[in-house]
Amino acid sequence: MDWELPGSHRYVHRMAATPLVPVQLAAGEPAIWCKLEFLNPSGSTKDRIARYILEKAWRQGRLQTGDRVIEASSGSTSIAMALASAQIGVRFLAVMPEGVSNERVLLIRAYGGDVRFTPKADGIRGAIAEVERLGREPGTFLPRQFSNRDNADAHRLTTAREVIDQIPGGRVDAVVSGVGTGGTLVGLYHGFAEVGCRLIAVHAKPVNLYGDADAECCSYSARIPGVADRISEIFREDNLPGLLTLEVNDEVAIATTRQLMRLGFPVGPSSGLNFAAAREAHRRLGRPQAQVVTVFPDRMERYFTTELFQPYLA
Ligand code: PMP
């Protein structure tokens, strides 16, 4: 993706395509094609949406020097927005509920962003309400990742195109992705529409069917950060004809993540979830030569103080 900015920040910044590599957990197992999104500049796939959303806003004059970008996210999106804001030369504020792991707060501050906490009891809704309140002030820009179509467009125009260029023979049988905001899945769905492969959404089991139905955000899995544990209202199957879903036990997702780490893939829990689902999709396709694609969204260092590393505490 070329990134050209006008005015005092005139430069072109090219974001390299992330590698697409075949990954096998053991000899004799089918290889799954994995997109190494943890190799993006700030360590997650969210660099794509941060750049795309901020660049578009800049080009259209909705974001200008001196402005402040404000997002309600405790996760990878805030880290990526902090970096993209620093590169453009605008300020960034992350609003998040108290109690977020320190790794994330430190990364946001290292990229020059500020962090504001909202009461833990108010959850992500409290953070979103605070962002909307702050966003009424002049000189602010709200990316609103949960409701912004540009989130999915970033993946349609970059992630999907890269995979189609990279995969041998240009042939893809199935694409598998977890759902947080749904941006990755919806973008891949539309990006692969002409390829004619299957699209599979992954949910973390146990599925929380009674979760808080909030159109602005998802009900997140307790053990797989960033991934929804129920079918989101915004991205129901009937909006995406032919979309299949798979559920993966969160225990299996975490065990798979630890296996991937030992194979040399320094990934977070949602990568284990995606990989486990991709193997199941490959099994169901029933053809050894089937080419199944999934993504490794972020890096393991974000989870040092979480359950993922619990067994390794002395
Ligand atoms: N994995 C991780 C670690 C995430 O933070 C997210 C996004 N919150 C996802 C997966 C899902 O991506 P998306 O928001 O595009 O559905």
Side-chain angles (χ1 to χ4, degrees), residues 117-194:
F117 295 104
T118 48
K120 191 173 186 176
D122 298 345
I124 187 72
R125 274 171 189 251
I128 289 171
E130 177 68 357
V131 167
E132 293 298 325
R133 194 185 66 76
L134 292 168
R136 288 198 287 270
E137 291 167 18
T140 54
F141 175 77
L142 310 189
R144 294 193 179 97
Q145 63 162 341
F146 284 100
S147 54
N148 190 342
R149 286 295 311 175
D150 291 338
N151 174 352
D153 265 354
H155 289 287
R156 176 174 66 83
L157 295 170
T158 70
T159 324
R161 287 189 186 171
E162 286 175 25
V163 170
I164 292 166
D165 283 348
Q166 290 168 320
I167 196 142
R171 184 176 58 80
V172 180
D173 294 290
V175 177
V176 177
S177 171
V179 180
T181 64
T184 308
L185 181 82
V186 174
L188 293 177
Y189 180 96
H190 293 298
F192 281 91
E194 280 157 31

Side-chain angles (χ1 to χ4, degrees), residues 212-235:
D212 202 0
D214 186 335
E216 286 292 313
C217 64
C218 301
S219 159
Y220 281 128
S221 161
R223 299 177 74 191
I224 317 294
V227 170
D229 60 1
R230 68 180 180 84
I231 316 296
S232 100
E233 291 296 314
I234 313 169
F235 302 109

Side-chain angles (χ1 to χ4, degrees), residues 44-46 49 73 75-77 104 145-146 151-152 155 177-186 218 220 224-228 235 268-271 273-274 295-299 302-303:
S44 87
T45 193
K46 294 294 184 181
I49 74 161
S73 157
S76 299
T77 300
R104 287 144 195 276
Q145 63 162 341
F146 284 100
N151 174 352
H155 289 287
S177 171
V179 180
T181 64
T184 308
L185 181 82
V186 174
C218 301
Y220 281 128
I224 317 294
V227 170
F235 302 109
S270 64
S271 299
L273 180 89
N274 283 353
V295 290
F296 286 168
D298 75 348
R299 298 186 69 87
R302 254 154 232 202
Y303 302 94

Side-chain angles (χ1 to χ4, degrees), residues 257-299:
T257 306
R258 293 187 182 128
Q259 281 180 287
L260 289 170
M261 278 164 34
R262 277 179 220 136
L263 286 177
F265 299 99
V267 293
S270 64
S271 299
L273 180 89
N274 283 353
F275 190 83
R279 280 164 92 207
E280 176 60 18
H282 194 287
R283 195 187 64 73
R284 291 190 192 185
L285 283 170
R287 282 179 285 118
Q289 299 314 318
Q291 301 210 106
V292 176
V293 174
T294 195
V295 290
F296 286 168
D298 75 348
R299 298 186 69 87

Side-chain angles (χ1 to χ4, degrees), residues 39-51:
L39 293 177
N40 280 305
S42 83
S44 87
T45 193
K46 294 294 184 181
D47 283 314
R48 296 181 187 273
I49 74 161
R51 282 177 173 235

Side-chain angles (χ1 to χ4, degrees), residues 1-6 52-63 88:
M1 177 162 53
D2 284 341
W3 206 26
E4 208 165 343
L5 292 169
Y52 186 77
I53 291 172
L54 297 192
E55 179 209 21
K56 190 168 168 185
W58 182 277
R59 279 219 209 105
Q60 294 177 345
R62 292 179 287 125
L63 176 63
I88 293 184

